[in-house]
Coordinates of all heavy atoms in Angstrom, one line a residue:
D1 N 0.8 -1.2 0.0 CA 0.0 0.0 0.0 C 0.8 1.3 0.0 O 0.4 2.3 -0.5 CB -0.9 0.0 1.2 CG -2.0 -1.1 1.1 OD1 -2.3 -1.6 0.0 OD2 -2.6 -1.4 2.2
N2 N 2.1 1.2 0.6 CA 2.9 2.4 0.6 C 3.7 2.6 -0.6 O 4.6 3.5 -0.7 CB 3.8 2.3 1.9 CG 4.8 1.1 1.8 OD1 4.9 0.4 0.8 ND2 5.6 0.9 2.9
G3 N 3.5 1.8 -1.7 CA 4.2 1.9 -2.9 C 5.4 1.1 -3.1 O 6.0 1.0 -4.2
T4 N 5.9 0.5 -2.0 CA 7.1 -0.3 -2.1 C 6.8 -1.7 -2.6 O 5.6 -2.1 -2.5 CB 7.8 -0.4 -0.7 OG1 7.0 -1.1 0.2 CG2 8.2 0.9 -0.2
V5 N 7.8 -2.4 -3.1 CA 7.6 -3.8 -3.6 C 8.3 -4.8 -2.7 O 9.4 -4.6 -2.3 CB 8.1 -3.9 -5.0 CG1 8.1 -5.4 -5.5 CG2 7.3 -3.1 -6.0
K6 N 7.6 -5.8 -2.3 CA 8.1 -6.9 -1.5 C 8.0 -8.2 -2.2 O 7.0 -8.5 -2.8 CB 7.4 -6.9 -0.1 CG 8.0 -7.9 0.9 CD 7.3 -7.8 2.2 CE 7.7 -9.0 3.2 NZ 9.1 -8.8 3.6
T7 N 9.1 -9.0 -2.1 CA 9.0 -10.3 -2.7 C 8.7 -11.4 -1.6 O 9.2 -11.4 -0.5 CB 10.4 -10.7 -3.3 OG1 10.7 -9.7 -4.3 CG2 10.4 -12.1 -3.9
F8 N 7.7 -12.2 -1.9 CA 7.2 -13.3 -1.0 C 7.6 -14.6 -1.5 O 7.8 -14.8 -2.7 CB 5.7 -13.2 -0.9 CG 5.2 -11.9 -0.2 CD1 5.0 -10.8 -0.9 CD2 5.0 -11.9 1.2 CE1 4.5 -9.6 -0.3 CE2 4.6 -10.7 1.8 CZ 4.3 -9.6 1.1
T9 N 7.8 -15.6 -0.6 CA 8.1 -17.0 -0.9 C 6.9 -17.8 -0.6 O 6.3 -17.8 0.5 CB 9.3 -17.4 -0.2 OG1 10.4 -16.6 -0.5 CG2 9.7 -18.9 -0.6
G10 N 6.5 -18.7 -1.6 CA 5.4 -19.6 -1.4 C 5.8 -21.0 -1.8 O 6.8 -21.2 -2.5
Y11 N 5.0 -22.0 -1.4 CA 5.3 -23.4 -1.6 C 4.1 -24.1 -2.0 O 3.0 -23.8 -1.6 CB 5.9 -24.0 -0.4 CG 7.1 -23.4 0.2 CD1 7.0 -22.4 1.2 CD2 8.4 -23.7 -0.3 CE1 8.1 -21.8 1.7 CE2 9.5 -23.0 0.2 CZ 9.4 -22.1 1.2 OH 10.5 -21.5 1.8
R12 N 4.2 -25.2 -2.8 CA 3.2 -26.2 -3.0 C 3.9 -27.6 -3.1 O 4.7 -27.8 -4.0 CB 2.4 -25.9 -4.3 CG 1.2 -26.8 -4.5 CD 0.1 -26.5 -3.4 NE -1.0 -27.5 -3.5 CZ -2.0 -27.5 -2.6 NH1 -2.0 -26.7 -1.5 NH2 -3.0 -28.4 -2.7
S13 N 3.5 -28.5 -2.2 CA 4.0 -29.8 -2.2 C 2.9 -30.8 -2.6 O 1.8 -30.8 -2.1 CB 4.5 -30.2 -0.8 OG 5.0 -31.5 -0.7
Q14 N 3.3 -31.7 -3.6 CA 2.4 -32.7 -4.1 C 2.9 -34.0 -3.7 O 3.9 -34.5 -4.4 CB 2.2 -32.5 -5.6 CG 1.6 -31.1 -6.0 CD 1.5 -30.9 -7.4 OE1 2.3 -31.4 -8.2 NE2 0.5 -30.1 -7.9
H15 N 2.3 -34.7 -2.8 CA 2.9 -35.9 -2.2 C 2.7 -37.2 -3.1 O 3.6 -37.8 -3.5 CB 2.5 -36.2 -0.8 CG 3.0 -37.4 -0.2 ND1 2.2 -38.5 0.1 CD2 4.2 -37.9 0.0 CE1 2.9 -39.5 0.6 NE2 4.2 -39.2 0.5
N16 N 1.4 -37.5 -3.3 CA 1.1 -38.8 -4.0 C -0.3 -38.7 -4.6 O -1.2 -38.2 -4.0 CB 1.1 -39.9 -3.0 CG 1.0 -41.3 -3.6 OD1 0.0 -41.7 -4.0 ND2 2.1 -42.0 -3.7
N17 N -0.4 -39.1 -5.8 CA -1.7 -39.0 -6.5 C -2.1 -40.4 -7.1 O -2.9 -40.5 -8.0 CB -1.7 -38.0 -7.7 CG -0.7 -38.4 -8.8 OD1 0.1 -39.3 -8.6 ND2 -0.8 -37.6 -9.9
A18 N -1.7 -41.4 -6.4 CA -2.1 -42.8 -6.8 C -3.6 -43.0 -6.7 O -4.2 -43.7 -7.5 CB -1.3 -43.8 -6.0
V19 N -4.2 -42.5 -5.6 CA -5.6 -42.7 -5.4 C -6.5 -41.6 -6.1 O -7.6 -41.9 -6.5 CB -5.9 -42.6 -3.8 CG1 -7.4 -42.7 -3.5 CG2 -5.2 -43.8 -3.1
G20 N -5.9 -40.4 -6.3 CA -6.7 -39.4 -6.9 C -5.9 -38.1 -6.9 O -4.7 -38.0 -6.5
P21 N -6.5 -37.0 -7.4 CA -5.8 -35.7 -7.4 C -5.2 -35.3 -6.1 O -5.7 -35.7 -5.0 CB -6.9 -34.7 -7.9 CG -8.0 -35.5 -8.5 CD -7.9 -36.8 -7.8
Y22 N -4.2 -34.5 -6.1 CA -3.6 -33.9 -4.9 C -4.6 -33.0 -4.2 O -5.4 -32.3 -4.9 CB -2.3 -33.1 -5.1 CG -1.3 -33.8 -5.9 CD1 -1.1 -33.5 -7.3 CD2 -0.5 -34.8 -5.4 CE1 -0.1 -34.2 -8.0 CE2 0.5 -35.5 -6.1 CZ 0.7 -35.2 -7.4 OH 1.6 -35.8 -8.2
K23 N -4.6 -33.0 -2.9 CA -5.6 -32.2 -2.1 C -5.0 -31.7 -0.8 O -4.4 -32.5 -0.1 CB -6.9 -33.0 -1.8 CG -8.0 -32.2 -1.1 CD -8.7 -31.4 -2.1 CE -9.8 -30.5 -1.5 NZ -9.1 -29.3 -1.0
G24 N -5.1 -30.4 -0.5 CA -4.6 -29.9 0.7 C -4.6 -28.4 0.8 O -4.6 -27.7 -0.2
G25 N -4.6 -27.9 2.0 CA -4.7 -26.5 2.2 C -3.5 -25.6 1.9 O -2.5 -26.1 1.5
V26 N -3.8 -24.3 2.0 CA -2.8 -23.3 1.8 C -2.8 -22.4 3.1 O -3.8 -21.9 3.5 CB -3.0 -22.3 0.6 CG1 -2.0 -21.2 0.6 CG2 -3.0 -23.1 -0.7
R27 N -1.6 -22.3 3.8 CA -1.5 -21.5 5.0 C -0.7 -20.3 4.9 O 0.3 -20.3 4.1 CB -1.0 -22.4 6.2 CG 0.3 -23.0 6.0 CD 0.8 -23.8 7.2 NE -0.1 -24.8 7.7 CZ 0.0 -25.5 8.8 NH1 1.0 -25.4 9.5 NH2 -1.0 -26.4 9.1
F28 N -1.0 -19.3 5.6 CA -0.3 -18.0 5.7 C 0.3 -18.0 7.1 O -0.4 -17.8 8.1 CB -1.1 -16.8 5.5 CG -1.6 -16.6 4.1 CD1 -2.4 -15.5 3.8 CD2 -1.3 -17.4 3.0 CE1 -2.9 -15.2 2.5 CE2 -1.8 -17.2 1.7 CZ -2.6 -16.1 1.5
H29 N 1.6 -18.1 7.2 CA 2.2 -18.1 8.6 C 3.7 -17.8 8.4 O 4.3 -18.2 7.5 CB 2.0 -19.5 9.2 CG 2.2 -19.5 10.7 ND1 3.5 -19.6 11.3 CD2 1.4 -19.3 11.8 CE1 3.4 -19.6 12.6 NE2 2.1 -19.4 12.9
P30 N 4.2 -17.1 9.4 CA 5.7 -16.7 9.3 C 6.6 -17.9 9.4 O 7.8 -17.8 8.9 CB 5.9 -15.8 10.5 CG 4.7 -16.0 11.4 CD 3.6 -16.4 10.6
N31 N 6.1 -19.0 9.9 CA 7.0 -20.2 10.0 C 6.9 -21.2 8.8 O 7.5 -22.3 8.9 CB 6.8 -20.9 11.3 CG 7.2 -20.1 12.5 OD1 8.0 -19.2 12.4 ND2 6.5 -20.3 13.7
V32 N 6.1 -20.9 7.8 CA 5.9 -21.8 6.7 C 7.3 -22.0 6.0 O 8.0 -21.0 5.8 CB 4.9 -21.2 5.7 CG1 5.0 -22.0 4.4 CG2 3.5 -21.3 6.2
N33 N 7.6 -23.2 5.8 CA 8.9 -23.6 5.1 C 8.7 -24.8 4.3 O 7.7 -25.5 4.4 CB 10.1 -23.7 6.1 CG 9.9 -24.7 7.2 OD1 9.7 -25.9 6.9 ND2 9.9 -24.3 8.4
L34 N 9.8 -25.2 3.6 CA 9.7 -26.4 2.7 C 9.4 -27.7 3.4 O 8.5 -28.4 3.0 CB 11.0 -26.5 1.9 CG 11.0 -27.4 0.7 CD1 10.0 -27.0 -0.3 CD2 12.4 -27.4 0.1
D35 N 10.1 -27.9 4.5 CA 9.9 -29.2 5.3 C 8.5 -29.3 5.8 O 7.9 -30.3 5.9 CB 11.0 -29.3 6.4 CG 12.3 -29.9 5.8 OD1 12.3 -30.3 4.6 OD2 13.2 -30.0 6.6
E36 N 8.0 -28.1 6.3 CA 6.6 -28.1 6.8 C 5.6 -28.5 5.8 O 4.8 -29.4 6.0 CB 6.3 -26.7 7.4 CG 4.9 -26.7 8.1 CD 4.5 -25.4 8.5 OE1 4.4 -24.4 7.7 OE2 4.2 -25.2 9.7
V37 N 5.6 -27.9 4.6 CA 4.6 -28.2 3.6 C 4.8 -29.7 3.1 O 3.8 -30.3 2.7 CB 4.6 -27.2 2.5 CG1 4.2 -25.8 3.0 CG2 5.9 -27.1 1.7
K38 N 6.0 -30.1 3.0 CA 6.3 -31.5 2.6 C 5.6 -32.5 3.6 O 5.0 -33.5 3.2 CB 7.8 -31.8 2.5 CG 8.4 -31.2 1.2 CD 9.9 -31.0 1.3 CE 10.6 -32.4 1.3 NZ 12.1 -32.2 1.3
A39 N 5.8 -32.2 4.9 CA 5.2 -33.1 5.9 C 3.7 -33.0 5.8 O 3.0 -34.1 5.9 CB 5.7 -32.6 7.3
L40 N 3.2 -31.8 5.7 CA 1.7 -31.7 5.7 C 1.1 -32.4 4.5 O 0.0 -32.9 4.5 CB 1.4 -30.2 5.7 CG 1.7 -29.4 7.0 CD1 1.6 -27.9 6.8 CD2 0.7 -29.9 8.1
S41 N 1.8 -32.4 3.4 CA 1.3 -33.1 2.2 C 1.3 -34.6 2.4 O 0.4 -35.3 1.9 CB 2.1 -32.7 0.9 OG 3.5 -33.3 1.0
I42 N 2.3 -35.1 3.1 CA 2.3 -36.6 3.5 C 1.1 -36.9 4.3 O 0.3 -37.8 4.1 CB 3.6 -37.0 4.2 CG1 4.8 -36.9 3.2 CG2 3.5 -38.4 4.8 CD1 6.1 -37.2 3.9
W43 N 0.9 -36.0 5.4 CA -0.3 -36.2 6.2 C -1.6 -36.1 5.5 O -2.5 -36.8 5.8 CB -0.2 -35.2 7.4 CG 0.9 -35.5 8.4 CD1 1.3 -36.7 8.7 CD2 1.7 -34.6 9.1 NE1 2.4 -36.6 9.7 CE2 2.6 -35.3 9.9 CE3 1.7 -33.2 9.2 CZ2 3.5 -34.7 10.8 CZ3 2.6 -32.6 10.1 CH2 3.5 -33.3 10.9

C-alpha cells in the first residue's frame, strides 16, 4: 500500500496421486517452510 515492492516466498508440495488428485490447504504463517509443507502433504 505504501508503494514499495516486497518479494514473497510460497510453496506447493504434491505428495502422492495414486488414489486421486492432490488435495490440501494453503496456510499463511511466518514459519511456513519447505519441510513443513512436505510433511503436511504426506499427512
